[in-house]
Amino acid sequence: MQHFTLLIHCKDQKGIIAAVTNFILKVEGNITYLDQHVDTIQNVFFMRLECELTNPAYDLISVKEDFKTTIATEFNMSWEFYNKDRKPKMGLFVSKYTHCLYDILGRYSSGELHVEIPLIISNHEDLRPIAEQFNIPFYHVPFTKDIKEEGEKRQIELLKEYNIDFIVLARYMQIITPRLIALYENKIINIHHSFLPAFPGAKPYHSAFKRGVKIIGATSHYVTEELDEGPIIDQDISRVSHINSVEDFIMKGKDLERIVLARAIKLHSERKMMIYCNKTVVFY
Amino acid sequence: MQHFTLLIHCKDQKGIIAAVTNFILKVEGNITYLDQHVDTIQNVFFMRLECELTNPAYDLISVKEDFKTTIATEFNMSWEFYNKDRKPKMGLFVSKYTHCLYDILGRYSSGELHVEIPLIISNHEDLRPIAEQFNIPFYHVPFTKDIKEEGEKRQIELLKEYNIDFIVLARYMQIITPRLIALYENKIINIHHSFLPAFPGAKPYHSAFKRGVKIIGATSHYVTEELDEGPIIDQDISRVSHINSVEDFIMKGKDLERIVLARAIKLHSERKMMIYCNKTVVFY
Amino acid sequence: MQHFTLLIHCKDQKGIIAAVTNFILKVEGNITYLDQHVDTIQNVFFMRLECELTNPAYDLISVKEDFKTTIATEFNMSWEFYNKDRKPKMGLFVSKYTHCLYDILGRYSSGELHVEIPLIISNHEDLRPIAEQFNIPFYHVPFTKDIKEEGEKRQIELLKEYNIDFIVLARYMQIITPRLIALYENKIINIHHSFLPAFPGAKPYHSAFKRGVKIIGATSHYVTEELDEGPIIDQDISRVSHINSVEDFIMKGKDLERIVLARAIKLHSERKMMIYCNKTVVFY
Amino acid sequence: MQHFTLLIHCKDQKGIIAAVTNFILKVEGNITYLDQHVDTIQNVFFMRLECELTNPAYDLISVKEDFKTTIATEFNMSWEFYNKDRKPKMGLFVSKYTHCLYDILGRYSSGELHVEIPLIISNHEDLRPIAEQFNIPFYHVPFTKDIKEEGEKRQIELLKEYNIDFIVLARYMQIITPRLIALYENKIINIHHSFLPAFPGAKPYHSAFKRGVKIIGATSHYVTEELDEGPIIDQDISRVSHINSVEDFIMKGKDLERIVLARAIKLHSERKMMIYCNKTVVFY
């Protein structure tokens, strides 16, 4: 038995759901999950479907080929079949903060994440011991304004060498280069330590403290060329008050960052998201 | 153009979605919303569908008849078509508390609720002025242990006279009789001022205070014969601390009660819920 | 027995608490609440104290005079005694939105708010019927760019005539003039329908929708000359997802606006806030 | 310079705050935090105070002795001085679940917790590798109904040997014996995976799923002889819906358990709690 996830989007038209479900019937698939969404403003149809192939006469490759030449063509669909039995490979970028790194590696070791983590890349040596503690290859790739090109080249080499499917920036404190962003379009997840679009850029907890907000937040999003402007994946918040110092904001914020980043990794790796018009459609 | 909402549940089987969407195609309907859920433990399939009928050749009555004799029979479905262009009639039961009553009538007057409120029934005279302020007929139906049968009889007479579709208990402090529950099965909504199943029964804020909880809650649910044991519709919570007195719990709780009850009224009146095995399936 | 609330702020110094509590002992007061806060960055001390005067030899006027010439002078304090037995008078400004108005008047009629509402001022006639429904004088004061001065003059006349202590803008859709702001410094409360500082200005729900946020918010704050930049009193949030339209954002937002504005009215009228450096210190 | 935290509770009386702050003035201490609470129902006064001793003439030992023989006696106080410069020693009990263990050890390694963790005790061998990964001594102490006494004896030996100040049960799946509870009264913290008092005892996520709740929770509390009835320290919640399976409840619950337990460890180790009448007074 093979399991796959199918993501579709196309112009909204009559009969799409009937066509897709009839197709699955034809290949004797068993739909275990189906959700769809229509963006009535953009007039776009989105669908997510999980399926088991129960008859060996139909395997994932032939089903995919059949789909491509029939339904997908007829409705002019953008689509993707994902083999659920294969874990996506995740590249982890860190700098000096330990909290998201420990959290991700703890979840990974506990089997909570449907990913493989073949390598950790950092612009500093500091976190090597943690990588070693969890037996994950650690690469120090220096990255500053002056050696950006060299750094980018080495990053891309490593990502290719390890066949990395998507990248997670676990409080990685450097800008990602446009070339890397283009190579991993909608596949680089960042955690920003504010409730975006409030407080983009550097030192958001300090800005939040200065403004006297009563709630702080964290936001996971895909990286695009515009800093902190990419599609938002998840957000969460925590109450603060006048008794909290900036240090308290940072401490409370760490819990938000851990959880909001972990949820994004789960959603991405379980293929529960589609991106359209700089927004995410999230099928929970 | 006619608008309807279709709710279905039946044993999970292959091909249901395809059959239903093919049926809608056949009657030239335009699906504006479709969501479905499979309870894999009970093996039950649930579906909610909103549709516009665009060809005058197919009207709601004929579509319903067609559905009944084809798909519904074939898959042995429980189903209901609701005319979206008709507002359900809601009977409001109150005792002496004003907060939920003001909240509901304010929302009603603002056009937030897809209901008509033809009458208010109370076991006390106290809230008559509020009903009059909002121009809604108010009936004082005394109800005590000794005159239960008489009270029940009068309640049922009034509900029939006004063609009431469903009942909302806005902090109505009397037990609903089994006969009335049977007449309005899964159509009586109560607000309980605790996070059920914690603190069922009387004086939950006092019990919560005594236990020293750090969070209080409110729960809207359908009324069944077992007190506070019916299907839960919505819940919400609010933080409390040692500085809060029972009076603070009650005051904070009022905001929870207002919102959790209002949400339940919206979900019920917009036909976004199905009930199965004493639980609600809520299609947001 | 007289009840008062005392708010103090001054440069942080050794011995303030001892001095204040010794003073209360001297006048035979009974402290029922005391909270204090030190802003260690600005080096400012804040204190809130509730007290009962039990010996008729000491009344509020003499205690105040004594405090002024002793402790207050010694520590160079900013301070205010509030008579708890007198409800502050609140002026309500509205335009065309009904939800906050109904909510405030419902709470007011239920006795939830420690205020008097002697008048409602609006730049439109639309909400007069609601004011009449609740028996509150309603004044239509036209206000547009062209007649700003005339409008401001009339507003101030009415506020003086009714001895208004503080103003609440319940979705009042006009700019408050600098002269009125100066007359009611830190006494005009606004509700903004976003999670400030995200989405200041007009149409925040539309901007939030466009940005694809996963959480929306509302913020109550004091009005200053900088639009949406005044001290934040309270904030709250609600989750949204890709299935929600702008209209859904607006509907969910209304519940946030109601609650966040009501909480601000309670905090202000119960003298639980102090303002410093464009922030609020809130003593819950 | 020495830093201490002082916790006091006693019958509420006039002049306590003045007496305590005058005492601190006398020993030339600098109060950096002061909060107090009066339980008006029980008529009990609570105070928490953080202080720096700046004059070497007054050290913690002499200040404590002075306090004991003066103020503490005069007002018949229960009180405790804690040296802030010493980290309390925390004993960690686990069984087979990894999520809380990884979370605590990650925070510990990051320096987020003001504790020392000298040992981990488990009734199974399974988690030894994690303890070794973080270089913390791990003791396998078998514990079943038949060898309860032997197990308890070994537990107490180890806790004494390592001078353990308080115990954290990070999803330790065995009952703590009355003797151990008595030895560590109000010093054993448990995490229960429900919103207490809802769903005490075993398998709360399964019960929550069965009841059809819309919100699940977790509760950290002190262990007393009555199972899941001890003073509640912190609670938090997460929304669930009909689409979530029991497995989803468990997965979402893990995040709650991590955070609610970590917060309890912080509050206890930073001496921010007092216990009275089976409730906690938490000074944030």
Side-chain angles (χ1 to χ4, degrees):
Chain A
M1 190 149 63
Q2 289 186 303
H3 302 80
F4 68 86
T5 302
L6 171 59
L7 299 181
I8 295 168
H9 70 91
C10 61
K11 192 168 149 295
D12 191 26
Q13 304 150 69
K14 245 185 206 176
I16 308 177
I17 302 174
V20 173
T21 54
N22 285 332
F23 173 85
I24 299 295
L25 265 182
K26 190 184 75 181
V27 300
E28 296 179 34
N30 185 26
I31 298 176
T32 53
Y33 175 97
L34 180 152
D35 201 358
Q36 52 87 49
H37 168 64
V38 178
D39 182 327
T40 52
I41 292 168
Q42 309 285 344
N43 200 35
V44 180
F45 173 89
F46 299 88
M47 185 186 245
R48 182 175 186 275
L49 189 142
E50 292 186 16
C51 189
E52 306 166 342
L53 292 174
T54 49
N55 182 342
Y58 300 97
D59 69 0
L60 188 45
I61 290 167
S62 65
V63 165
K64 198 166 147 179
E65 192 55 31
D66 188 358
F67 185 82
K68 183 176 160 182
T69 54
T70 55
I71 313 284
T73 307
E74 183 187 342
F75 290 93
N76 196 20
M77 288 172 173
S78 298
W79 55 277
E80 199 77 55
F81 279 82
Y82 294 100
N83 182 346
K84 280 183 69 175
D85 306 316
R86 180 190 167 275
K87 291 183 182 175
K89 296 190 180 191
M90 168 177 144
L92 195 48
F93 281 46
V94 297
S95 288
K96 293 186 169 183
Y97 287 107
T98 60
H99 59 289
C100 284
L101 180 59
Y102 269 124
D103 187 67
I104 291 169
L105 297 183
R107 287 169 193 268
Y108 180 53
S109 304
S110 297
E112 272 186 41
L113 303 177
H114 184 67
V115 300
E116 278 181 45
I117 305 180
L119 90 163
I120 295 172
I121 291 175
S122 179
N123 57 329
H124 295 286
E125 275 289 353
D126 305 51
L127 303 188
R128 183 183 293 277
I130 302 179
E132 286 173 354
Q133 199 182 352
F134 286 85
N135 279 315
I136 298 175
F138 179 93
Y139 293 88
H140 176 209
V141 180
F143 194 98
T144 60
K145 241 171 67 176
D146 301 332
I147 54 162
K148 232 159 66 168
E149 274 180 52
E150 209 179 312
E152 177 199 76
K153 197 173 149 242
R154 183 69 183 127
Q155 287 172 354
I156 292 174
E157 267 172 23
L158 284 165
L159 296 168
K160 281 196 180 154
E161 183 186 335
Y162 283 93
N163 291 309
I164 295 303
D165 292 304
F166 74 107
I167 297 168
V168 168
L169 312 180
R171 299 296 308 276
Y172 178 67
M173 308 300 283
Q174 293 294 325
I175 300 293
I176 299 298
T177 61
R179 203 175 141 225
L180 184 50
I181 293 175
L183 275 173
Y184 282 87
E185 199 192 345
N186 294 334
K187 287 177 182 164
I188 307 176
I189 295 171
N190 186 41
I191 178 73
H192 182 73
H193 40 316
S194 85
F195 188 92
L196 287 176
F199 311 120
K203 297 212 166 245
Y205 292 129
H206 290 78
S207 306
F209 179 79
K210 190 153 173 267
R211 180 63 186 91
V213 297
K214 299 301 184 186
I215 291 179
I216 56 169
T219 304
S220 52
H221 64 94
Y222 286 108
V223 173
T224 57
E225 286 206 32
E226 276 68 51
L227 185 68
D228 298 331
E229 290 286 339
I232 292 172
I233 301 167
D234 194 24
Q235 302 188 290
D236 214 334
I237 58 96
S238 189
R239 291 204 167 265
V240 291
S241 84
H242 67 273
I243 67 165
N244 296 122
S245 61
V246 175
E247 288 69 35
D248 293 337
F249 279 37
I250 291 170
M251 188 57 77
K252 277 166 172 265
K254 282 181 179 175
D255 271 349
L256 295 175
E257 295 166 36
R258 283 175 178 108
I259 280 178
V260 171
L261 182 54
R263 281 193 213 137
I265 293 171
K266 286 178 72 68
L267 291 172
H268 182 94
S269 61
E270 295 169 11
R271 314 301 186 186
K272 295 193 168 168
M273 273 191 291
M274 303 184 73
I275 297 175
Y276 198 79
C277 286
N278 205 45
K279 293 188 194 182
T280 57
V281 171
V282 180
F283 295 105
Y284 288 102
Chain B
M1 191 150 63
Q2 289 185 303
H3 303 80
F4 68 85
T5 302
L6 171 58
L7 299 181
I8 295 167
H9 70 91
C10 61
K11 192 169 150 293
D12 192 25
Q13 304 151 67
K14 245 187 208 177
I16 308 177
I17 301 175
V20 173
T21 54
N22 285 333
F23 173 84
I24 299 295
L25 265 182
K26 189 184 77 179
V27 301
E28 297 180 32
N30 186 26
I31 297 174
T32 54
Y33 174 96
L34 180 152
D35 202 358
Q36 53 87 51
H37 168 65
V38 178
D39 182 326
T40 53
I41 292 169
Q42 308 285 344
N43 199 35
V44 181
F45 173 88
F46 300 88
M47 184 186 246
R48 182 176 186 274
L49 188 142
E50 292 185 17
C51 188
E52 306 165 341
L53 292 174
T54 50
N55 182 341
Y58 302 97
D59 69 0
L60 188 45
I61 291 168
S62 66
V63 165
K64 198 166 145 178
E65 192 55 32
D66 188 358
F67 185 83
K68 182 176 161 183
T69 53
T70 55
I71 312 286
T73 306
E74 183 187 342
F75 290 93
N76 196 20
M77 288 172 173
S78 298
W79 55 276
E80 199 76 55
F81 279 83
Y82 294 101
N83 182 346
K84 280 182 68 175
D85 306 315
R86 182 189 165 277
K87 292 182 183 176
K89 296 190 182 191
M90 167 177 145
L92 196 47
F93 281 45
V94 297
S95 288
K96 293 187 169 181
Y97 288 107
T98 59
H99 60 289
C100 284
L101 180 59
Y102 269 124
D103 188 67
I104 290 170
L105 297 184
R107 287 169 193 269
Y108 180 51
S109 303
S110 298
E112 271 185 43
L113 303 177
H114 183 68
V115 300
E116 276 181 48
I117 305 180
L119 90 163
I120 296 172
I121 289 175
S122 180
N123 55 329
H124 295 287
E125 274 290 351
D126 306 51
L127 303 189
R128 184 182 293 278
I130 301 178
E132 287 173 354
Q133 199 182 352
F134 285 85
N135 280 314
I136 297 175
F138 179 93
Y139 293 89
H140 177 208
V141 181
F143 195 98
T144 60
K145 241 170 68 175
D146 301 332
I147 54 161
K148 232 159 66 168
E149 274 179 51
E150 208 180 313
E152 178 198 76
K153 198 176 148 238
R154 182 69 182 128
Q155 287 171 354
I156 292 174
E157 265 173 24
L158 284 165
L159 296 169
K160 281 196 178 153
E161 184 187 333
Y162 283 93
N163 292 309
I164 295 303
D165 292 304
F166 74 108
I167 295 168
V168 168
L169 312 179
R171 299 295 309 276
Y172 178 67
M173 309 300 284
Q174 293 294 324
I175 298 292
I176 299 299
T177 61
R179 206 177 139 222
L180 185 49
I181 293 175
L183 275 173
Y184 283 86
E185 200 192 343
N186 294 335
K187 289 178 181 163
I188 306 176
I189 295 171
N190 185 44
I191 178 74
H192 183 73
H193 40 315
S194 86
F195 188 92
L196 288 175
F199 311 121
K203 297 211 167 247
Y205 292 129
H206 290 77
S207 306
F209 180 79
K210 189 153 173 268
R211 179 63 185 90
V213 296
K214 299 301 185 186
I215 291 179
I216 56 169
T219 304
S220 52
H221 63 95
Y222 286 108
V223 173
T224 58
E225 286 205 34
E226 277 68 52
L227 185 67
D228 298 330
E229 291 286 342
I232 292 173
I233 301 167
D234 194 24
Q235 302 188 289
D236 214 335
I237 59 99
S238 189
R239 291 203 167 266
V240 291
S241 84
H242 67 274
I243 66 165
N244 295 122
S245 62
V246 176
E247 289 68 35
D248 294 337
F249 278 38
I250 292 170
M251 188 59 75
K252 278 167 171 264
K254 282 181 178 175
D255 271 349
L256 296 174
E257 295 166 37
R258 283 175 177 107
I259 280 179
V260 170
L261 181 55
R263 281 193 212 137
I265 294 172
K266 287 177 72 69
L267 290 171
H268 182 93
S269 61
E270 295 169 10
R271 314 302 185 182
K272 294 192 168 168
M273 273 190 294
M274 303 182 74
I275 297 175
Y276 198 79
C277 285
N278 206 45
K279 293 188 195 185
T280 57
V281 171
V282 180
F283 294 105
Y284 287 102
Chain C
M1 190 149 65
Q2 288 185 305
H3 302 81
F4 68 85
T5 303
L6 171 59
L7 300 181
I8 295 168
H9 70 91
C10 62
K11 192 168 150 295
D12 191 25
Q13 304 150 68
K14 246 188 207 175
I16 308 179
I17 301 175
V20 173
T21 53
N22 285 332
F23 173 85
I24 298 295
L25 264 183
K26 188 184 77 181
V27 299
E28 297 180 32
N30 185 25
I31 297 175
T32 54
Y33 175 95
L34 179 152
D35 202 358
Q36 52 86 51
H37 169 64
V38 178
D39 182 328
T40 52
I41 293 169
Q42 308 286 344
N43 199 35
V44 180
F45 173 88
F46 299 88
M47 184 186 245
R48 182 176 186 275
L49 188 141
E50 291 186 16
C51 189
E52 306 166 341
L53 292 174
T54 50
N55 182 341
Y58 301 97
D59 70 0
L60 188 47
I61 291 168
S62 65
V63 165
K64 199 167 148 179
E65 191 55 33
D66 187 358
F67 185 82
K68 183 176 162 183
T69 53
T70 55
I71 312 284
T73 305
E74 183 187 341
F75 290 93
N76 197 19
M77 289 172 172
S78 299
W79 56 277
E80 199 77 55
F81 278 83
Y82 293 101
N83 182 346
K84 280 183 70 176
D85 305 315
R86 180 189 167 278
K87 291 184 183 175
K89 296 190 181 193
M90 166 176 145
L92 195 48
F93 281 45
V94 297
S95 288
K96 293 186 169 183
Y97 287 107
T98 60
H99 60 289
C100 283
L101 180 59
Y102 268 124
D103 187 67
I104 290 169
L105 297 184
R107 288 169 193 269
Y108 180 52
S109 303
S110 298
E112 271 186 42
L113 303 177
H114 183 68
V115 300
E116 277 182 46
I117 305 181
L119 92 163
I120 296 172
I121 290 175
S122 179
N123 55 329
H124 295 288
E125 275 290 352
D126 305 52
L127 302 188
R128 182 183 293 278
I130 302 178
E132 287 173 354
Q133 199 182 351
F134 286 85
N135 281 315
I136 297 174
F138 179 92
Y139 292 89
H140 176 210
V141 180
F143 194 98
T144 60
K145 241 171 68 176
D146 301 332
I147 54 161
K148 236 162 60 172
E149 275 180 49
E150 209 179 313
E152 178 199 75
K153 198 175 147 238
R154 183 68 182 128
Q155 287 171 353
I156 292 174
E157 266 172 24
L158 285 165
L159 296 169
K160 282 195 178 154
E161 183 186 335
Y162 283 93
N163 291 310
I164 295 304
D165 292 305
F166 74 109
I167 297 168
V168 168
L169 312 179
R171 297 295 309 274
Y172 178 68
M173 308 301 283
Q174 293 294 325
I175 299 293
I176 300 299
T177 60
R179 205 177 138 223
L180 185 49
I181 293 174
L183 275 173
Y184 283 85
E185 200 192 344
N186 293 335
K187 289 178 181 164
I188 306 176
I189 295 171
N190 185 41
I191 177 73
H192 183 74
H193 39 316
S194 86
F195 188 91
L196 287 176
F199 311 122
K203 297 211 167 247
Y205 292 129
H206 290 78
S207 306
F209 180 79
K210 191 153 173 268
R211 180 63 186 90
V213 296
K214 299 302 184 188
I215 291 179
I216 56 169
T219 304
S220 52
H221 64 94
Y222 286 107
V223 173
T224 57
E225 286 206 34
E226 277 69 51
L227 186 66
D228 299 330
E229 290 286 340
I232 292 172
I233 301 168
D234 194 24
Q235 303 189 288
D236 214 334
I237 59 98
S238 189
R239 291 204 166 266
V240 291
S241 84
H242 66 274
I243 67 165
N244 295 122
S245 62
V246 176
E247 289 69 35
D248 293 337
F249 279 37
I250 292 170
M251 188 58 75
K252 279 167 171 264
K254 281 181 180 177
D255 272 348
L256 296 175
E257 295 166 37
R258 282 176 179 107
I259 280 178
V260 171
L261 181 55
R263 280 194 213 135
I265 293 171
K266 286 178 72 69
L267 290 172
H268 182 94
S269 61
E270 296 170 10
R271 315 301 186 185
K272 294 192 169 169
M273 273 190 292
M274 303 183 74
I275 297 175
Y276 199 79
C277 287
N278 206 46
K279 293 188 193 183
T280 57
V281 171
V282 180
F283 294 105
Y284 288 102
Chain D
M1 191 149 66
Q2 288 185 305
H3 303 81
F4 68 85
T5 302
L6 171 58
L7 299 181
I8 294 168
H9 71 89
C10 61
K11 193 169 150 294
D12 192 25
Q13 305 152 67
K14 247 188 207 176
I16 308 178
I17 302 175
V20 173
T21 53
N22 285 333
F23 173 85
I24 299 295
L25 264 181
K26 189 183 78 181
V27 300
E28 296 180 33
N30 186 25
I31 296 175
T32 54
Y33 174 97
L34 179 152
D35 202 358
Q36 52 87 49
H37 168 64
V38 177
D39 182 327
T40 53
I41 292 169
Q42 309 284 344
N43 199 35
V44 181
F45 173 88
F46 299 88
M47 185 186 245
R48 182 176 186 274
L49 188 142
E50 292 186 16
C51 190
E52 307 166 341
L53 293 174
T54 50
N55 182 342
Y58 301 97
D59 69 359
L60 189 46
I61 291 168
S62 65
V63 164
K64 199 166 147 179
E65 191 55 32
D66 187 358
F67 184 82
K68 183 175 160 184
T69 53
T70 57
I71 312 285
T73 306
E74 182 187 343
F75 290 93
N76 196 19
M77 289 172 173
S78 298
W79 56 276
E80 199 77 55
F81 279 82
Y82 293 100
N83 182 347
K84 282 182 67 176
D85 305 316
R86 180 187 167 281
K87 292 183 182 175
K89 297 191 181 191
M90 166 177 145
L92 196 48
F93 280 46
V94 297
S95 288
K96 293 188 169 183
Y97 287 107
T98 59
H99 59 290
C100 283
L101 179 59
Y102 269 125
D103 187 67
I104 290 169
L105 297 183
R107 288 170 194 268
Y108 179 53
S109 303
S110 297
E112 272 185 43
L113 303 177
H114 183 68
V115 300
E116 277 181 47
I117 304 180
L119 92 162
I120 296 173
I121 291 175
S122 180
N123 56 329
H124 295 287
E125 274 290 352
D126 304 52
L127 303 188
R128 183 183 293 279
I130 302 178
E132 286 173 354
Q133 199 182 350
F134 285 85
N135 280 315
I136 297 176
F138 179 93
Y139 292 90
H140 176 208
V141 180
F143 194 100
T144 61
K145 242 170 67 174
D146 301 331
I147 53 162
K148 236 162 60 169
E149 274 179 53
E150 209 180 312
E152 177 199 76
K153 195 173 149 243
R154 182 69 182 127
Q155 287 171 355
I156 292 174
E157 266 173 24
L158 284 165
L159 295 168
K160 281 197 180 153
E161 182 186 335
Y162 283 92
N163 292 309
I164 294 303
D165 293 303
F166 74 108
I167 296 169
V168 169
L169 312 179
R171 299 295 309 275
Y172 178 67
M173 308 301 283
Q174 292 295 325
I175 300 292
I176 299 298
T177 60
R179 206 177 139 223
L180 184 48
I181 293 175
L183 275 173
Y184 283 86
E185 199 193 345
N186 294 335
K187 288 178 181 166
I188 306 176
I189 296 171
N190 185 41
I191 178 74
H192 183 73
H193 40 316
S194 86
F195 187 93
L196 288 176
F199 311 120
K203 298 212 166 247
Y205 292 129
H206 290 78
S207 306
F209 179 80
K210 189 152 174 271
R211 179 63 186 90
V213 296
K214 299 302 183 186
I215 291 179
I216 55 168
T219 304
S220 52
H221 64 95
Y222 286 108
V223 174
T224 57
E225 287 207 34
E226 276 68 52
L227 185 67
D228 298 331
E229 291 286 340
I232 292 173
I233 301 168
D234 193 24
Q235 302 188 288
D236 213 335
I237 59 97
S238 188
R239 292 203 166 266
V240 292
S241 84
H242 66 274
I243 66 166
N244 295 121
S245 62
V246 175
E247 289 69 35
D248 294 336
F249 279 37
I250 291 169
M251 189 58 75
K252 279 168 171 263
K254 283 181 179 175
D255 272 348
L256 295 175
E257 295 166 37
R258 283 176 177 107
I259 282 179
V260 171
L261 182 54
R263 282 194 211 134
I265 294 171
K266 287 178 70 68
L267 290 171
H268 182 94
S269 62
E270 296 169 10
R271 315 300 186 185
K272 294 192 168 169
M273 273 190 292
M274 303 183 74
I275 297 175
Y276 198 79
C277 285
N278 207 45
K279 293 189 194 183
T280 56
V281 171
V282 179
F283 294 105
Y284 288 101

